[in-house]
Amino acid sequence: MARIGIIGSEGAMGHALAHVIAATGHELSGGIDRGGCAEKLADASEALVDFSAPAALCTNLHAAIGAGVPMVIGTTGLEEKHHRAIDEAARVVPVLQTGNTSLGVTLLAHLVREAAARLGPDWDIEILEMHHRRKVDAPSGTALLLGEAAAKGRGIELADHSERGRDGHTGAREEGAIGFASLRGGTVAGEHSVILAGEDERITLAHSAEDRSIFARGAVRAAEWLIGKPAGRYTMDEVLGL
C-alpha cells in the first residue's frame, strides 16, 4: 500500500484518481487544487500524481523535489519550458510525464512506432482525435504522443514534419508529413485514430476511452511503479516493460 497525493483533486480526473486509489488498496494522502499547498501534500505522500494545469507545474515539481518523492505528470498543454523544468527535476527525483496514462494508449503508441518504422515515407500518417467540448488544448496530449511515436519510428523530428489546421488552398501534402485533426463535442472522453495510408491500402490503429477511470488506473499503476526508483525521467513504456 502506498500513500498517493493528488494535485488537481477537484477536477474530473482528480475524482477518478481518488476512486481508483481507494479501490486498489492504496491510501489517499490528500489532494489539493488551485491555491493548495503542494509542499504539505508532498511531505505527506510517497508519490504525487499531477493532473492540474501547466502554470502550476514548476511549483509542483519543486514540492516533489523538496520532499524527495516521485511524481506522475498527466497534465497536457505543456510547452518546451515545462519539459526543461521536468528534465531538471528528474535529476533529483523520479518523474514520469506522459500525454496519456492509459495502458491501452501506451501499447497503441508502441504499435504506431513499430508500423512507422517498417513502412516508408510514401505511407502518409494522419492522426485524428476527438474530445469533449470543454477540452481547451489541441491537438490533445495523446495525439501528440502518438505523433511523437510515429516520428520516432521514422527517425525524424515531429516539429519539423507536423501538419495542422489545414484550411483553404493548402497545396499538396508534403511527403513524410504527420498530419493532425482535432474534433470537439459532447462528452467524449477520448477517441484517437492513427491512419497509415499507402497506395491502394490503409491501416488504422485506434483507441477509444469509454471512461476517465482508465487514465486514473494507469496513473496509479505508474505512481506505485515509480516508488523506490532512482532519479530519472521515465515513460509509460517502462511501466509496461515495452
Coordinates of all heavy atoms in Angstrom, one line a residue, residues 8 15 22 34 37 39 46 58 61 65 78 80 105 118 135 143 149 157 169 173 179 204 232 237:
G8 N -4.7 18.6 -8.3 CA -5.8 18.8 -9.2 C -7.0 17.9 -8.8 O -7.7 17.3 -9.6
H15 N -11.2 13.3 -9.1 CA -12.2 12.4 -8.5 C -12.0 10.9 -9.0 O -12.1 10.0 -8.2 CB -13.6 12.9 -8.9 CG -14.0 14.2 -8.3 ND1 -14.2 14.3 -6.9 CD2 -14.2 15.4 -8.8 CE1 -14.5 15.5 -6.6 NE2 -14.5 16.2 -7.7
A22 N -8.5 4.3 -3.8 CA -9.3 3.5 -2.7 C -9.5 2.1 -3.2 O -9.4 1.1 -2.4 CB -10.6 4.2 -2.4
R34 N -6.3 24.5 -7.0 CA -5.7 25.8 -7.1 C -5.7 26.5 -5.7 O -6.6 26.5 -5.0 CB -6.5 26.7 -8.1 CG -6.0 28.1 -8.3 CD -6.8 28.8 -9.3 NE -6.9 28.2 -10.6 CZ -7.6 28.7 -11.6 NH1 -8.3 29.7 -11.5 NH2 -7.6 28.0 -12.8
C37 N -1.5 23.8 -0.9 CA -0.1 23.8 -0.6 C 0.5 22.5 -1.1 O 0.3 21.4 -0.5 CB 0.1 23.9 0.9 SG 1.8 23.9 1.4
E39 N 3.6 21.7 -1.1 CA 4.7 21.2 -0.2 C 4.2 20.3 0.9 O 4.7 19.3 1.2 CB 5.5 22.4 0.3 CG 6.3 23.2 -0.6 CD 5.5 24.2 -1.5 OE1 4.3 24.3 -1.2 OE2 6.1 24.8 -2.4
E46 N 4.0 9.4 -0.5 CA 5.1 8.6 -1.1 C 5.2 8.8 -2.6 O 6.2 8.4 -3.2 CB 4.9 7.1 -0.8 CG 5.0 6.7 0.7 CD 4.7 5.3 0.9 OE1 3.5 4.9 1.1 OE2 5.7 4.5 0.9
C58 N 5.7 24.0 -12.3 CA 7.0 24.3 -11.6 C 6.9 24.2 -10.1 O 7.8 23.7 -9.4 CB 7.6 25.6 -12.1 SG 8.2 25.6 -13.8
L61 N 6.6 20.6 -9.1 CA 7.9 19.9 -9.2 C 8.8 20.3 -8.0 O 9.5 19.4 -7.5 CB 8.6 20.3 -10.5 CG 8.0 19.6 -11.8 CD1 8.6 20.3 -13.0 CD2 8.2 18.1 -11.8
I65 N 10.5 17.7 -5.3 CA 12.0 17.7 -5.1 C 12.2 17.9 -3.6 O 13.1 17.2 -3.0 CB 12.7 18.8 -5.9 CG1 12.6 18.5 -7.4 CG2 14.1 19.0 -5.4 CD1 13.1 19.6 -8.3
L78 N 1.6 21.2 -22.2 CA 2.9 21.6 -21.8 C 3.7 22.2 -23.0 O 3.5 21.7 -24.1 CB 3.6 20.4 -21.2 CG 3.0 19.7 -20.0 CD1 3.9 18.6 -19.4 CD2 2.6 20.7 -18.9
E80 N 7.8 23.8 -24.2 CA 9.2 23.4 -24.1 C 9.8 23.8 -22.7 O 10.5 23.1 -22.1 CB 10.0 24.1 -25.2 CG 11.5 23.7 -25.2 CD 11.7 22.1 -25.3 OE1 10.9 21.5 -26.0 OE2 12.6 21.6 -24.7
V105 N -3.4 3.1 -24.5 CA -2.8 4.1 -25.4 C -1.3 3.8 -25.4 O -0.6 4.0 -26.4 CB -3.1 5.5 -24.9 CG1 -2.2 6.5 -25.6 CG2 -4.6 5.8 -25.2
R118 N 8.5 0.5 -40.1 CA 8.6 -0.6 -41.1 C 8.0 -0.1 -42.5 O 8.2 -0.8 -43.5 CB 7.9 -1.8 -40.6 CG 8.7 -2.6 -39.6 CD 7.9 -3.5 -38.8 NE 8.8 -4.3 -37.9 CZ 9.5 -3.9 -36.9 NH1 9.4 -2.6 -36.5 NH2 10.3 -4.7 -36.2
K135 N -12.6 20.6 -23.5 CA -11.2 20.5 -23.6 C -10.6 21.7 -24.2 O -11.1 22.2 -25.3 CB -10.8 19.2 -24.4 CG -9.3 19.0 -24.4 CD -9.0 17.6 -24.9 CE -7.5 17.3 -25.0 NZ -6.9 17.4 -23.6
A143 N -2.7 12.8 -28.9 CA -2.4 12.9 -30.3 C -0.9 13.2 -30.5 O -0.3 12.6 -31.4 CB -3.3 13.9 -30.9
A149 N 5.5 9.1 -31.4 CA 5.8 7.7 -31.6 C 6.0 7.5 -33.1 O 7.0 6.7 -33.5 CB 4.7 6.9 -31.1
E157 N 12.1 14.4 -36.6 CA 11.6 15.2 -35.5 C 10.2 15.6 -35.9 O 9.9 16.1 -37.0 CB 12.5 16.5 -35.4 CG 13.9 16.2 -34.8 CD 13.9 15.7 -33.4 OE1 13.0 16.2 -32.6 OE2 14.8 14.9 -33.0
H169 N -6.6 26.8 -49.7 CA -5.8 26.2 -50.7 C -4.4 25.9 -50.1 O -3.5 26.8 -50.1 CB -5.6 27.1 -51.9 CG -5.0 26.5 -53.1 ND1 -5.6 25.6 -53.9 CD2 -3.7 26.6 -53.6 CE1 -4.7 25.2 -54.8 NE2 -3.6 25.8 -54.7
R173 N 0.0 17.6 -50.1 CA 0.6 17.1 -48.9 C 2.1 16.9 -49.0 O 2.5 16.3 -50.0 CB -0.2 15.8 -48.5 CG 0.1 15.3 -47.1 CD -0.6 14.0 -46.9 NE -0.7 13.6 -45.5 CZ 0.3 13.1 -44.8 NH1 1.5 12.9 -45.4 NH2 0.2 12.8 -43.5
G179 N 0.1 14.4 -40.1 CA -1.0 15.3 -40.0 C -1.8 15.1 -38.8 O -1.9 14.0 -38.3
T204 N -5.5 1.3 -40.0 CA -6.0 2.2 -39.0 C -5.7 1.6 -37.6 O -6.2 0.5 -37.4 CB -7.5 2.5 -39.1 OG1 -7.7 3.1 -40.4 CG2 -7.9 3.5 -38.0
G232 N 15.3 10.2 -12.3 CA 15.3 10.0 -13.7 C 14.0 10.3 -14.3 O 13.0 10.5 -13.6
D237 N 6.0 3.3 -21.3 CA 6.5 2.1 -21.9 C 7.3 1.3 -20.8 O 7.2 0.0 -20.8 CB 7.5 2.5 -23.0 CG 6.8 2.7 -24.3 OD1 5.5 3.0 -24.3 OD2 7.4 2.8 -25.4

